[in-house]
Amino acid sequence: MIKILSPKKLNDMRKAGKIVAEALLVAEKMAKVGVTTREIDAAVEMHILKQGAKPSFKGYQGFPYTICASINEEVVHGRPSDRKLEEGDILSIDVGAVINGVHADAARTFPVGKISKNAQKLIDVTKECFFKSIENIKAGSKLNEIGKACQKHAELNGFSVVRQMVGHGIGEKLHMEPHVLNYDGYKGNGGTLLEGQTLAIEPMINEGTWQVEFRGGQNVSVVVTADGKLSAHYENTVVITKDGVEVLTI
């Protein structure tokens, strides 16, 4: 069942979204050679708490950190550690914040030092996939339009779209209905988007195969590319409007 937030709750989501966007800027400034993802996690958590919110991820299904920090072939759910970032790494940071019981969630992939041309292209195309996916949707559009646009853009650029991990509804829970596929995978159109519906749309794009592996059990594992090639992630929380999409985490 799709739940539409009240105007007050939606305003709380906007506040949470602003905090998440700022938290990602904190992470971006720290994404440098020699910095550990544990240090980034601590700084992001401090920022969220100082803004009067709480980290959405910390304690969720037993996850002990504020951010997911996924490096290179790690697609999502990477755990902060004492590993120092190295020249040429790409770092995906996923973070959520909750304020007054309403969540917002977003992710970015950052270069560490000088990276390869193809790695930078992967980061750029992944971001573009998000904007392509929302370009033509509004209330009344079909859910599958998101994934079709994302997949088309990724594959035109020589990349692939992760199938096993998808976007989601968001609101008074971090993960809600519906699943938001980043590829054309629905048996039908996926349903109709409603005015006021809130979604976390998050292309996860791979340099090589779309297939992934789960390290440590599917519910709590780090997801990695099956061929060991790079993966990038770009996510925002959005609200569907009668005329288009409002992005809450930029």
Side-chain angles (χ1 to χ4, degrees), residues 13-242:
M13 181 178 274
R14 290 189 179 96
K15 293 176 184 176
K18 182 175 183 292
I19 292 166
V20 167
E22 292 169 350
L24 286 166
L25 292 177
V26 170
E28 182 177 19
K29 289 177 182 177
M30 294 183 70
K32 299 183 183 303
V33 174
V35 176
T36 71
T37 50
R38 197 183 298 274
E39 290 170 331
I40 297 174
D41 181 71
V44 169
E45 179 173 356
M46 184 178 297
H47 176 80
I48 291 171
L49 294 174
K50 280 185 175 180
Q51 304 309 309
K54 294 181 180 179
S56 294
F57 296 0
K58 194 166 188 178
Y60 182 74
Q61 295 184 348
F63 190 76
Y65 303 103
T66 292
I67 64 171
C68 295
S70 306
I71 301 172
N72 296 335
E73 78 281 3
E74 295 175 343
V75 180
V76 286
H77 303 168
R79 296 188 170 216
S81 73
D82 293 324
R83 177 201 186 282
K84 292 183 179 180
L85 295 172
E86 299 175 1
E87 186 88 14
D89 285 339
I90 65 171
L91 171 66
S92 296
I93 300 291
D94 192 355
V95 62
V98 56
I99 190 164
N100 296 330
V102 181
H103 297 265
D105 181 11
R108 305 284 187 269
T109 300
F110 305 121
V112 179
K114 186 177 181 180
I115 64 174
S116 71
K117 288 183 179 179
N118 205 53
Q120 186 61 58
K121 181 182 177 183
L122 176 65
I123 292 173
D124 294 341
V125 168
T126 303
K127 179 178 179 178
E128 291 165 9
C129 281
F130 169 82
F131 287 100
K132 289 289 184 181
S133 74
I134 66 169
E135 191 171 53
N136 295 310
I137 64 168
K138 59 185 178 181
S141 298
K142 302 304 180 183
L143 184 60
N144 69 334
E145 293 178 39
I146 294 172
K148 287 174 71 174
C150 177
Q151 182 178 11
K152 180 180 179 180
H153 189 69
E155 292 179 353
L156 280 173
N157 283 279
F159 299 125
S160 64
V161 180
V162 173
R163 310 292 205 267
Q164 296 94 325
M165 310 302 296
V166 299
H168 51 93
I170 188 168
E172 292 176 308
K173 294 182 180 179
L174 181 59
H175 293 102
M176 303 174 67
E177 294 182 9
H179 294 309
V180 183
L181 306 189
N182 296 308
Y183 63 101
D184 188 10
Y186 291 103
K187 294 179 180 178
N189 58 36
T192 301
L193 294 171
L194 306 175
E195 185 174 354
Q197 188 171 357
T198 44
L199 303 171
I201 300 174
E202 51 179 320
M204 289 157 272
I205 308 300
N206 290 351
E207 183 181 30
T209 179
W210 59 265
Q211 295 175 317
V212 300
E213 296 176 354
F214 295 84
R215 292 178 180 168
Q218 189 162 342
N219 290 331
V220 295
S221 64
V222 180
V223 182
V224 300
T225 58
D227 57 8
K229 292 186 178 182
L230 299 176
S231 185
H233 188 192
Y234 189 91
E235 175 186 18
N236 283 301
T237 296
V238 309
V239 56
I240 306 299
T241 72
K242 65 179 181 179

